[in-house]
């Protein structure tokens, strides 16, 4: 299990804790252990960079949470029942907002929630000093944040920039491999599976880019560049899948006309030989695509429309790959200025749309409310003042793991390591620390414990256990300027931590656990409902925005589909097909707006039929008994005839290409007629 990097990380954590304790002791802060605890919480992202981001979010969340406590507790201190309900509502609101945000800054809302109960609620008997405690706690957190950031950035630092660029290079290399393989007609099975990882890679790059902006003393290309790169990477998957499908529809690579086959091979060579940033070569490929694009008239055949769609998607794939490489180059060397064309791509990049589920977010918030109310009622019924610690621990576990479908396995780990932490903390509180005389001996006494925790925090298998142990041990030891062992106080604190964890786990188990089948169904239905909104015109995203949203859902859906066992409908789901449908639909509806006025009723009728079709699929999956209507292929053909009869234009060609792709997507997609019958 020897890991030099883990050893270095543990050394950094230990030095950061010692620095935080030294500063906190020097300023005579009442609870230096909060500074030490903050070091471990802030150090978690130091594993992959981004420590400054979490430091900023932690400080912001602490200030927001203490501000809420200053409003709630003094005004309701004489009505403890109402105070518990108000604090529970605040924690529930913060949990709800954090789940709707889904960006790294959601951590600030998580922290703002449990800070009010974990930090401020124990002062309910002394509300006069609440403001002073809020100031002290903010100072202790700030000391811990700065100590962790300083040590992890001084001793063999691992900056967010280096981590992000390494991930970017790996993603681009993988993408080049599977694009080249597909265009040559020999994609390996492993490459096909690897494409689905692109969604996860994009999500990871998004988080890294969000954290990167907190890195001090650096030159960066700007957040717009990273957003533009995310959009272009997201466009690769539906475009390449469309190219492969159209080649298959035309009989395969070997059945293509020699000119088409040669063009695909040349494009594959261009991607695979590392010269993809050669703008001149890309332009020649685009010209070849334009030359081989059929000029479709009213009597165009299905083969001509499929060939048109193939050339359209191949050209878009070439453009997207060229832009990906140039944008990646800007991130690697931000001093370079983008070309006028690339500047337009960067300017067009919008905010990334991520999947959110307000119903599940609300349910998670209500679960946190119920848990806190149960803990508060337990403490008040027993007239047990330390029970307010249980309230804080319970709120921590409800908010910190609210994004999981089933938080109980993680909460059970926390419960198990609470039992492990109690004897370890007792040894330090009653045996080791009373013998420590001065800061040097304290540092020596904590050395084996802190370095061991830090070491295992970097090993994925033990990360959660080590982190749980760090939280509980530092809280139970409770380092203060004057350490006075108190067995009764220690026992009450230990029992409160155990009971708070147990109540949180029981309430979560009873009301909050979401089966993977249910979660997967909700994600699939969200995708089909989105297609219905796009079809009806209620939502008009750009193609790249739609692709990023669907890829985000694919990232969330993949692990849930792997865990789903009892649902026989879910294996019929093809998220890549849904992604292609949306891309083609966006192109078709954009082009259809330019049709003559007498053709608009056909377009509107098609939109209504498509919206009804996708809504029927959504309801069908929800009920598992409804009969799904067949896709409106006849209505789609009428719009295609209207496009063919219209005047030639680039927009018309895009519409025809989108229509040809959409027709094939709908004709080959799987849908269910009735229970047990799948096509």
């Amino acid at each position: 299990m020897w890991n030099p990097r883990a050893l270095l990380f543990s050394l950094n954590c230990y030095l950061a804790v010692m620095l935080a304790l030294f500063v906190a002791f020097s300023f005579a802060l009442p609870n230096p252990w909060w500074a030490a605890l903050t070091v471990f919480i802030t150090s978690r992202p130091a594993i992959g960079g981004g420590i400054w981001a979490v430091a900023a979010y932690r400080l912001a969340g602490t200030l927001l949470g203490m501000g809420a406590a200053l409003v709630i507790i003094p005004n309701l201190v004489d009505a403890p029942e109402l105070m518990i309900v108000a604090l529970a509502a605040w924690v529930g609101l913060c949990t709800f907002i954090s789940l709707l945000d889904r960006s790294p800054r959601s951590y600030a809302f998580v922290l703002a929630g449990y800070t009010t109960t974990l930090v401020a609620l124990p002062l309910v008997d002394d509300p006069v000093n609440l403001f002073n405690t809020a100031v002290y706690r903010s100072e202790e957190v700030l000391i811990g944040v700065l100590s962790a950031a300083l040590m992890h950035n001084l001793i063999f630092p691992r900056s967010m920039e280096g981590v992000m660029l390494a991930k970017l290079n790996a993603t681009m290399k993988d993408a080049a491999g599977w694009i080249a393989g597909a265009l040559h007609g020999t994609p390996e099975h492993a490459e096909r599976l690897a494409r689905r990882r692109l969604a996860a890679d994009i999500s990871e790059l998004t988080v890294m880019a969000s954290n990167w902006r907190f890195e001090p003393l650096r030159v960066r290309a700007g957040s717009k560049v990273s957003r533009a790169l995310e959009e272009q990477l997201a466009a690769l998957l539906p475009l390449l899948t469309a190219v492969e499908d159209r080649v298959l529809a035309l009989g395969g690579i070997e059945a293509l006309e020699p000119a088409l086959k040669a063009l695909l091979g040349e494009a594959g060579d261009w991607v695979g030989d590392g010269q993809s940033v050669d703008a001149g070569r890309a332009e020649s490929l685009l010209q070849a695509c334009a030359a081989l694009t059929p000029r479709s008239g009213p009597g165009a055949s299905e083969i001509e429309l499929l060939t048109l769609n193939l050339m359209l998607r191949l050209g878009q794939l070439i453009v997207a790959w060229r832009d990906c490489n140039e944008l990646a180059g800007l991130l690697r060397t931000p001093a370079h200025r983008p070309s006028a064309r690339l500047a337009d791509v960067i300017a067009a990049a919008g905010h990334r749309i991520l999947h959110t589920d307000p119903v599940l977010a609300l349910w998670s918030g209500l679960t946190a409310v119920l848990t806190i109310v149960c803990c508060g009622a337990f403490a008040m019924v027993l007239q047990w003042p330390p029970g307010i610690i249980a309230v804080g621990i319970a709120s921590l576990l409800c908010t910190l793991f609210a994004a999981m479908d089933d938080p109980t396995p993680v909460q059970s780990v926390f419960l198990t390591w609470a039992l492990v932490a109690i004897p370890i903390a007792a040894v330090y509180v009653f045996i080791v620390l009373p013998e420590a005389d001065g800061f040097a001996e304290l540092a020596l006494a904590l050395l084996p414990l802190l370095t061991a925790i830090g070491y295992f925090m970097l090993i994925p298998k033990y990360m959660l256990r080590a982190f749980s142990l760090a939280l509980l041990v530092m809280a139970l030891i409770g380092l203060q300027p004057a350490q006075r062992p108190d067995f009764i106080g220690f026992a009450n604190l230990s029992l409160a931590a155990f009971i708070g964890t147990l109540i949180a786990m029981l309430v979560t188990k009873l009301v909050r656990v979401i089966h993977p089948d249910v979660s997967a169904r909700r994600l699939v239905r969200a995708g089909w409902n989105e297609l219905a909104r796009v079809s009806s015109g209620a939502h008009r995203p750009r193609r790249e925005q739609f692709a990023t949203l669907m890829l985000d859902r694919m990232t969330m859906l993949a692990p849930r589909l792997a865990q789903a066992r009892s649902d026989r409908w879910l294996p019929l789901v093809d998220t890549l097909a849904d992604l292609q449908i949306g891309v083609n639909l966006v192109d078709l509806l954009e082009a259809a707006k330019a049709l003559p006025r007498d053709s608009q009723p056909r377009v509107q009728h098609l939109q209504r039929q498509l919206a009804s079709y996708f809504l029927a699929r959504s309801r069908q999956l929800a009920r598992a008994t409804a009969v799904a209507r067949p896709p409106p292929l006849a209505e789609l053909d009428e719009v295609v005839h209207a496009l063919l009869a219209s005047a030639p234009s680039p927009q018309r060609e895009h519409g025809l290409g989108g229509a040809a792709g959409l027709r094939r997507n709908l004709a080959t997609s799987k849908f269910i007629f009735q229970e047990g019958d799948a096509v």
Side-chain angles (χ1 to χ4, degrees):
M1 198 184 296
W2 171 249
N3 189 328
R5 184 163 163 251
L7 183 62
L8 176 62
F9 177 78
S10 69
L11 176 62
N12 283 353
C13 286
Y14 171 74
L15 293 177
V17 169
M18 290 301 104
L19 176 60
L21 289 175
F22 180 80
V23 175
F25 283 136
S26 299
F27 284 95
L29 295 178
N31 288 294
W33 67 272
W34 271 104
L37 182 61
T38 299
V39 168
F40 280 106
I41 295 175
T42 309
S43 294
R44 291 186 71 197
I47 295 169
I51 190 170
W52 288 104
V54 169
Y57 295 134
R58 178 160 182 78
L59 183 59
T62 299
L63 295 175
L64 183 59
M66 294 305 296
L70 289 172
V71 173
I72 295 173
I73 294 178
N75 290 305
L76 296 176
V77 69
D78 294 326
E81 296 86 358
L82 291 178
M83 182 181 65
I84 289 294
V85 172
L87 289 172
W90 167 254
V91 175
L93 176 63
C94 290
T95 303
F96 175 74
I97 295 174
S98 70
L99 294 177
L100 292 184
D101 189 297
R102 289 203 57 222
S103 72
R105 66 174 172 264
S106 65
Y107 178 65
F109 296 105
V110 170
L111 196 69
Y114 71 72
T115 293
T116 57
T117 54
L118 192 63
V119 178
L121 188 57
L123 298 170
V124 67
D125 293 330
D126 189 19
V128 175
N129 289 321
L130 184 59
F131 179 78
N132 290 336
T133 301
V135 174
Y136 287 141
R137 195 67 70 246
S138 300
E139 291 172 345
E140 290 156 0
V141 168
L142 179 61
I143 289 171
V145 160
L146 293 178
S147 298
L150 186 63
M151 285 301 168
H152 286 293
N153 282 279
L154 279 180
I155 304 176
F156 297 103
R158 194 165 188 237
S159 70
M160 194 71 248
E161 179 179 2
V163 175
M164 179 176 176
L165 293 181
K167 181 65 179 178
L168 174 61
N169 292 337
T171 301
M172 295 292 291
K173 182 179 178 181
D174 290 343
W178 51 256
I179 291 174
L183 293 180
H184 282 116
T186 57
E188 298 291 338
H189 178 67
E191 287 180 359
R192 290 183 180 274
L193 296 178
R195 295 179 200 179
R196 297 179 180 269
R197 292 201 306 267
L198 180 65
D201 290 340
I202 293 174
S203 296
E204 193 173 346
L205 287 170
T206 300
V207 173
M208 290 179 178
S210 299
N211 291 338
W212 192 17
R213 70 175 185 268
F214 288 92
E215 295 274 321
L217 303 176
R218 65 179 177 83
V219 179
R220 63 187 178 92
S223 57
K224 292 282 282 185
V225 175
S226 61
R227 285 202 296 271
L229 178 58
E230 292 161 19
E231 287 191 352
Q232 297 306 314
L233 284 171
L236 292 177
L237 190 56
L239 292 175
L240 181 63
T241 307
V243 168
E244 284 188 301
D245 182 75
R246 302 314 168 257
V247 170
L248 180 64
L250 291 170
I253 288 283
E254 299 303 323
L256 292 178
E257 296 180 7
L260 290 177
K261 182 179 178 181
L263 176 59
L264 288 172
E266 186 179 352
D269 293 338
W270 170 70
V271 173
D273 64 10
Q275 299 181 22
S276 41
V277 291
D278 184 348
R281 194 171 175 191
E283 189 59 35
S284 66
L285 289 171
L286 291 174
Q287 291 175 359
C289 287
L292 292 174
T293 300
R295 300 296 180 259
S296 302
S301 66
E302 182 181 358
I303 297 298
E304 288 178 318
L305 291 177
L306 286 173
T307 304
L308 185 151
N309 183 258
L310 171 62
M311 291 296 98
L312 174 68
R313 296 301 180 224
L314 179 60
Q316 291 170 343
L317 178 66
I318 292 168
V319 170
W321 181 246
R322 177 194 63 190
D323 291 346
C324 282
N325 278 274
E326 294 185 5
L327 290 166
L330 282 180
L331 289 178
R332 297 186 189 102
T333 55
H336 291 176
R337 294 182 61 85
S339 63
R341 179 192 54 76
L342 199 62
D344 292 338
V345 173
I346 296 171
H351 180 69
R352 190 183 184 205
I353 304 175
L354 299 175
H355 170 77
T356 57
D357 192 329
V359 174
L360 292 186
L362 179 61
W363 190 244
S364 296
L366 292 175
T367 302
V369 172
L370 180 60
T371 302
I372 294 170
V373 169
C374 288
C375 277
F378 177 83
M380 285 186 285
V381 168
L382 294 183
Q383 293 294 303
W384 183 44
I388 58 178
I389 303 297
V391 175
I393 295 294
S395 67
L396 170 70
L397 294 179
C398 286
T399 56
L400 205 57
F401 308 119
M404 298 180 176
D405 287 343
D406 184 4
T408 54
V410 177
Q411 291 172 343
S412 65
V413 170
F414 201 89
L415 181 66
T416 301
W417 285 87
L419 297 176
V420 175
I422 291 172
I424 294 175
V427 169
Y428 270 87
V429 170
F430 299 109
I431 299 175
V432 177
L433 294 183
E435 299 298 322
D437 185 13
F439 186 79
E441 292 189 13
L442 172 66
L444 186 62
L446 292 175
L447 176 62
L449 174 66
L450 299 185
T451 53
I453 290 174
Y455 185 89
F456 286 102
M457 274 182 64
L458 201 70
I459 301 174
K461 181 179 179 180
Y462 303 104
M463 183 183 298
L464 178 60
R465 303 172 196 176
F467 181 66
S468 302
L469 187 63
L471 292 180
L472 293 164
V473 165
M474 297 306 298
L476 292 174
I477 292 176
L479 289 169
Q480 294 175 324
Q483 198 76 16
R484 298 184 181 89
D486 178 4
F487 179 79
I488 295 178
F490 179 85
N492 279 326
L493 181 60
S494 302
L495 185 59
F498 178 81
I499 290 176
T501 305
L502 183 62
I503 290 177
M505 189 172 70
L506 290 176
V507 173
T508 302
K509 188 72 174 177
L510 289 173
V511 303
R512 169 60 179 78
V513 174
I514 302 169
H515 195 276
D517 290 0
V518 175
S519 183
R521 279 180 176 236
R522 292 186 66 84
L523 284 167
V524 174
R525 291 187 62 214
W528 289 343
N529 289 336
E530 185 70 24
L531 288 173
R533 291 179 63 218
V534 173
S535 300
S536 66
H539 185 208
R540 289 292 178 88
R542 292 184 298 112
R543 188 193 323 129
E544 294 81 5
Q545 284 183 317
F546 181 84
T548 56
L549 174 60
M550 293 296 287
L551 285 177
D552 181 56
R553 290 197 177 107
M554 287 174 59
T555 303
M556 301 176 67
L557 184 61
R560 291 166 173 86
L561 286 178
Q563 298 172 19
R565 293 290 182 268
S566 61
D567 196 323
R568 56 182 170 178
W569 308 88
L570 289 176
L572 298 171
V573 170
D574 187 349
T575 50
L576 277 178
D578 294 339
L579 176 56
Q580 290 185 68
I581 287 173
V583 169
N584 286 316
L585 188 58
V586 169
D587 281 353
L588 172 61
L589 295 182
E590 185 64 28
K593 291 190 296 185
L595 285 173
R597 181 175 299 179
D598 58 354
S599 297
Q600 291 303 316
R602 298 183 192 174
V603 176
Q604 293 166 3
H605 180 60
L606 172 64
Q607 289 183 265
R608 289 192 296 270
Q609 293 299 309
L610 285 170
S612 298
Y613 169 68
F614 291 120
L615 286 175
R617 291 185 67 172
S618 178
R619 289 192 295 268
Q620 176 188 15
L621 190 62
R623 300 171 185 171
T625 55
V627 178
R629 65 180 67 191
L633 300 181
E635 291 85 348
L636 178 58
D637 289 339
E638 290 182 8
V639 174
V640 170
H641 293 320
L643 284 169
L644 288 171
S646 63
S649 69
Q651 190 177 27
R652 169 183 177 271
E653 302 303 307
H654 277 74
L656 286 171
L662 180 61
R663 194 186 197 291
R664 177 161 173 81
N665 296 148
L666 293 175
T668 59
S669 65
K670 298 176 181 178
F671 57 94
I672 302 164
F673 281 113
Q674 57 189 8
E675 187 173 4
D677 298 331
V679 175

